Amino acid sequence: MTGLRKSYGCPVEFSLDLLGGKWKMVILARLKQNLMRYGELRRAIPDLSDKVLTERLGGLREVGLVESLADADGVTRYQLTARGESLRSVLQALYDWGEAEAATLKVSIRPPAPTSD
Amino acid sequence: MTGLRKSYGCPVEFSLDLLGGKWKMVILARLKQNLMRYGELRRAIPDLSDKVLTERLGGLREVGLVESLADADGVTRYQLTARGESLRSVLQALYDWGEAEAATLKVSIRPPAPTSD
DNA sequence: GGCGTCACGCACCGATTGGTGCGTTGGTGG
DNA sequence: CCACCAACGCACCAATCGGTGCGTGACGCC
C-alpha cells in the first residue's frame, strides 16, 4: 500500500492519512447513498475536477474502500466495498455535524440541481 | 469567520472546510480526552511543529471549537468548547475506524512515550 | 466520416500547507 | 545575570494538492 507509514501516533492520525484531502470523504459520502457512475459523481460535485476525481477514485480503489463495476453498456459504476461500508459511521457523523453546524452558522447547503441523463 | 464560503454542495464538504488539514482533527481528538497545556499537546503530537500547532489552535479558537484558559500559574490550557464537544461522534468514529483498520492492515499505533513534567 | 461523450493521462502552474530557523517577550530558577 | 522554558510571530522554503488545458482511445450517433 503506497504512502502508508508503519506507525502513527493515534488512530485519528492514521484515519486521516488514508482519508485526508479535500475530496475523498466527499466522494465516499456520495457513494454511501448508492453506487454511481463517473459522470454522476462529476455532476454531483461540480467543483471537483475530472483529473482529481479520477485520481481520488484510483486511490480509494487502491486501499480497498471503493470498487468499480464495468457494466454491459460500457459505463463504469463505483460503489463502496464492505471495507468502505465500515466508514458509514464516520461519514454519517460528518454529515450530521456539518448539517447542524451549517444551520447554526447560516451557511447554505445546496446540492447541485439534478440533471436528466 | 474567515475563509468560509456561503454555500456548499453537501454537509460533508462543509465539515471538511472547517476541519480539514493534517492536524486539526488530531488536535481535537487529543482535547476530546481532556484539557491540555500547549506543551502537552506538543509532546503528544511530536510530528506537529510549534508554528502549526499555534496556528491550528488559533483557527480552532476562531471558529469556536476550542477555548484557552490562562491559569494562575501562567500556563495556558486548551479545551473543547460546547460546540467542540459536538464533534465527539465524528472524532470517536474516526478513532474507532482507524483503530480497526490499523489492526487489519498491521499498522502500528504507538502514542509517544509519556514524559514527566 | 465527423462530432461529441466518456474516462482517463500528462505537463504545467498556482495556491496552500506544513516545516525550519530564528527572533521576541515574559517568567522562573540557579 | 544567565539559561531555560513557554508560546508565540516572521521569513523563507519545499512539498503537496488541486486545477486547467490539452491529448488519447473507444464508442455511439448523425
Side-chain angles (χ1 to χ4, degrees):
Chain A
M1 209 110 25
T2 59
L4 281 188
R5 287 166 20 212
K6 290 194 187 340
S7 173
Y8 292 82
C10 79
V12 172
E13 216 178 301
F14 173 59
S15 291
L16 293 178
D17 206 12
L18 282 177
L19 304 172
K22 191 172 172 179
W23 295 117
K24 276 188 202 167
M25 290 214 250
V26 176
I27 292 166
L28 290 168
R30 297 293 180 167
L31 294 177
K32 171 172 146 289
Q33 325 282 68
N34 44 56
L35 65 78
M36 293 177 77
R37 284 163 46 194
Y38 179 97
E40 288 172 328
L41 275 168
R42 275 292 274 115
R43 286 186 284 276
I45 319 173
D47 291 338
L48 171 58
S49 70
D50 239 349
K51 169 197 183 283
V52 175
L53 177 53
T54 302
E55 282 182 1
R56 298 301 167 262
L57 283 172
L60 291 168
R61 277 217 310 273
E62 196 173 296
V63 300
L65 298 174
V66 157
E67 64 189 348
S68 57
L69 311 161
D71 278 16
D73 56 357
V75 169
T76 309
R77 285 172 171 78
Y78 294 89
Q79 71 180 12
L80 296 183
T81 58
R83 210 133 141 209
E85 290 286 339
S86 69
L87 275 165
R88 271 192 182 271
S89 58
V90 173
L91 298 169
Q92 192 61 51
L94 276 168
Y95 189 99
D96 293 342
W97 188 82
E99 206 168 39
E101 198 66 13
T104 298
L105 298 179
K106 309 265 195 283
V107 166
S108 152
I109 308 290
R110 182 180 295 131
T115 51
S116 57
D117 208 27
Chain B
M1 208 110 28
T2 58
L4 280 188
R5 292 173 6 220
K6 287 188 184 355
S7 173
Y8 292 82
C10 79
V12 172
E13 213 178 303
F14 173 59
S15 290
L16 292 178
D17 205 12
L18 282 178
L19 304 171
K22 190 172 173 178
W23 294 116
K24 276 188 203 167
M25 290 213 252
V26 176
I27 292 166
L28 290 168
R30 297 292 178 169
L31 293 176
K32 173 173 145 287
Q33 325 283 68
N34 45 58
L35 65 78
M36 292 176 79
R37 284 161 48 192
Y38 179 96
E40 289 172 327
L41 274 168
R42 275 293 273 115
R43 285 186 285 277
I45 318 172
D47 290 340
L48 172 57
S49 71
D50 239 349
K51 169 196 182 282
V52 175
L53 177 54
T54 303
E55 283 183 0
R56 297 300 166 265
L57 283 171
L60 291 169
R61 279 218 307 273
E62 196 172 296
V63 299
L65 298 174
V66 157
E67 63 188 348
S68 57
L69 311 161
D71 278 15
D73 56 357
V75 168
T76 311
R77 284 173 172 77
Y78 294 88
Q79 71 177 12
L80 296 183
T81 58
R83 206 128 145 216
E85 290 285 341
S86 68
L87 275 165
R88 271 193 181 272
S89 58
V90 172
L91 298 169
Q92 191 62 51
L94 277 169
Y95 188 101
D96 293 343
W97 187 82
E99 204 169 41
E101 198 65 15
T104 298
L105 298 180
K106 309 267 196 282
V107 166
S108 152
I109 306 291
R110 181 179 298 133
T115 52
S116 57
D117 208 30

